[in-house]
Amino acid sequence: IPPKYSVSMVIGYLKGKSAIHIHRKAEGVKKGFIGRHFWSRGYCASTIGLDEEMIRAYVRDQEHLDKQEELDFTQNP
């Protein structure tokens, strides 16, 4: 990633464009993407490198973390 772009901006762009592409291909949606979600909120970035097991654990735990965050939000809006 060129230094003038932040990691979060590039990841956000990639997640947004890929989600639109997936909705178009898999669901046949042509427009009206507002309110549709495909990816979780966070991302993992490493400059020193992570081994495969650490990445798998991160991905595996995302569903649990997303559900917990959603539960916390509904209980304390």
Side-chain angles (χ1 to χ4, degrees):
I1 300 173
K4 69 180 187 175
Y5 299 114
S6 68
V7 172
S8 62
M9 186 184 84
V10 173
I11 297 299
Y13 177 82
L14 292 173
K15 287 172 77 170
K17 293 298 181 181
S18 62
I20 289 171
H21 180 76
I22 290 166
H23 283 298
R24 283 186 178 151
K25 293 289 184 181
E27 298 179 12
V29 177
K30 300 292 181 205
K31 59 182 178 178
F33 299 105
I34 295 174
R36 293 180 175 264
H37 301 284
F38 187 79
W39 301 112
S40 64
R41 291 183 181 185
Y43 63 92
C44 176
S46 174
T47 58
I48 59 170
L50 298 174
D51 66 11
E52 184 177 346
E53 185 51 41
M54 290 174 74
I55 295 168
R56 287 184 185 279
Y58 174 83
V59 171
R60 209 175 21 249
D61 293 340
Q62 285 306 296
E63 184 176 5
H64 171 72
L65 294 173
D66 287 347
K67 285 181 182 178
Q68 185 61 46
E69 186 176 286
E70 193 173 303
L71 183 65
D72 291 345
F73 180 75
T74 57
Q75 290 177 351
N76 301 313

